[in-house]
């Protein structure tokens, strides 16, 4: 894979945006309300689907049963009046949602690409739309974002959604260069635990070959991070990877310990690599486009997208 995947068009004022859950129920209702208001202030029209209102009655860690979540996602993916899909929150359950969906039927319908934006458990949804529909997407904050520096994170997301031509130069001045050099590839990846748990499933990429791979996580012990990285190595997932960007590893132990594990388990691949970028859980979060041809300059700690992450808002629908 050398070129960008099919890019949805950028959002514009008045666009209807589906807001739903494929994982856990919303528990921080104040943050959810703030996120919905922010979308409205930006001129968008958020349409809240039933799964985003589910209180966890089926199981407390799931936003309704699998059929409910799968139905909401399928409806949003195929509704021509919906320009984008944003997820209320992550948590756990997206793998179960994917299992309950008919991806062959979805692909046969050939819906026009639309914006898909989320992170954490949503990593597997971003993988699914890439592998089964061929769409680019956004690894970005969820609507009920209660993290520190949420205003910074929301501003980055809205710039990418509505002014993608201004979101092609992404700098990480506070990152650490692990392996210097320049690499070109297609952006991919997401939350480490979700990538490792997806290996071998029909909606996941078989490998990161040809990719600039993002990895981040939260609340994982150091030995678990080591184990997951080792699984990626032994499974062949890292074969042919062109560059690596690691984001935040919040509440995973002392930063110096995590940096040492990342360098030891990934640095010997010999590809340009930076660590501790502001992507992911627990703090300022720069939206990271997925499925876009890009150039990583590890020495400059910068990522340059070779295509805007979304097509200009005035572009006609269809393929890139």
């Amino acid at each position: 894979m050398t070129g960008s995947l099919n890019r949805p068009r950028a959002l514009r004022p008045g666009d209807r945006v589906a807001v739903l859950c494929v994982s856990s129920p919303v528990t921080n209702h104040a943050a959810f309300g703030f996120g919905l208001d922010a979308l409205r202030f930006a001129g968008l029209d958020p349409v809240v689907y039933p799964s985003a209102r589910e209180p966890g009655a089926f199981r407390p860690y799931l936003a309704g049963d699998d059929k409910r979540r799968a139905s909401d996602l399928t409806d949003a993916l195929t509704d021509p009046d919906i320009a984008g899909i944003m997820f209320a929150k992550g948590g756990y359950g997206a793998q179960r949602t994917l299992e309950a969906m008919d991806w062959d039927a979805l692909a046969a319908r050939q819906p026009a690409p639309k914006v898909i934006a989320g992170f954490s458990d949503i990593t597997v949804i971003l993988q699914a739309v890439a592998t089964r529909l061929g769409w680019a997407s956004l690894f970005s904050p969820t609507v009920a974002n209660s993290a520190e520096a949420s205003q910074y994170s929301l501003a980055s997301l809205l710039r990418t959604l509505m002014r993608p031509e201004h979101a092609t130069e992404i700098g990480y001045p506070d990152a650490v260069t692990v392996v210097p050099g320049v690499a070109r590839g297609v952006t991919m990846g997401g939350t480490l635990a979700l990538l490792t748990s997806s290996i071998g499933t029909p909606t996941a990429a078989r490998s990161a070959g040809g990719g600039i791979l993002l990895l981040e996580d939260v609340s994982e012990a150091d030995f678990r991070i080591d184990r997951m990285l080792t699984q990626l190595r032994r499974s062949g997932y890292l074969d042919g990877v062109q560059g690596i960007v690691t984001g935040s590893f919040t509440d995973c132990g002392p930063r110096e310990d995590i940096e040492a594990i990342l360098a030891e388990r990934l640095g010997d691949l010999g590809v340009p690599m930076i660590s501790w970028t502001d992507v992911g859980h627990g703090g300022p979060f720069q939206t990271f486009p997925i499925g876009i041809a890009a150039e990583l300059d590890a020495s400059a700690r910068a990522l340059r997208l070779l295509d805007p992450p979304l097509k200009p808002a005035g572009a006609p629908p269809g393929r890139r």
Side-chain angles (χ1 to χ4, degrees), residues 290-309:
I290 298 292
I292 302 297
E295 180 178 271
L296 172 65
D297 187 335
S299 302
R301 304 185 302 282
L303 182 71
R304 180 170 67 91
L305 304 179
L306 303 182
D307 291 312

Side-chain angles (χ1 to χ4, degrees), residues 7-222:
R7 294 173 299 144
R9 70 160 174 84
L11 300 184
R12 55 196 173 201
D15 275 342
R16 289 164 59 86
V17 178
V19 178
L20 52 91
C21 286
V22 291
S23 305
S24 296
V26 172
T27 54
N28 189 333
H29 297 285
F32 186 44
F34 172 83
L36 292 173
D37 284 343
L39 295 178
R40 295 185 185 105
F41 291 152
L44 301 174
D45 180 12
V47 180
V48 180
Y49 279 54
S51 57
R53 303 294 191 193
E54 286 281 358
F58 172 64
R59 287 208 174 91
Y61 54 82
L62 293 173
D65 62 22
D66 300 342
K67 183 179 179 180
R68 169 78 278 160
R69 300 191 312 279
S71 175
D72 277 5
L73 181 56
T74 300
D75 289 349
L77 286 168
T78 55
D79 186 342
D81 292 329
I82 294 294
I85 301 172
M86 302 183 69
F87 297 90
K89 66 167 293 181
Y92 168 76
Q95 296 273 29
R96 292 180 56 140
T97 302
L98 291 176
E99 185 182 28
M101 294 176 66
D102 187 340
W103 284 91
D104 291 334
L106 261 176
R109 294 176 68 172
Q110 296 185 327
K114 59 188 65 182
V115 176
I116 311 291
F119 84 120
S120 194
D121 204 45
I122 312 304
T123 294
V124 297
I125 305 296
L126 306 187
Q127 285 192 105
V129 299
T131 58
R132 302 306 301 269
L133 302 178
W135 298 358
S137 59
L138 303 175
F139 189 81
S140 74
T142 53
V143 176
N145 179 30
S146 58
E148 182 182 356
S150 60
Q151 292 88 347
Y152 171 98
S153 307
L154 180 62
S156 174
L157 172 59
L158 289 174
R159 181 185 68 169
T160 307
L161 288 173
M162 305 186 80
R163 303 186 69 188
E165 67 277 12
H166 298 288
T168 59
E169 304 285 340
I170 306 174
Y172 303 109
D174 297 325
V176 175
T177 299
V178 180
V179 179
V182 176
R184 284 195 173 192
V186 176
T187 55
M188 61 187 308
T191 300
L192 176 59
L194 276 300
L195 293 175
T196 55
S197 67
S198 297
I199 291 174
T201 63
T203 53
R206 293 184 178 181
S207 81
I212 294 177
L213 178 65
L214 169 69
L215 299 170
E216 68 84 44
D217 220 315
V218 64
S219 301
E220 296 285 0
D222 52 3

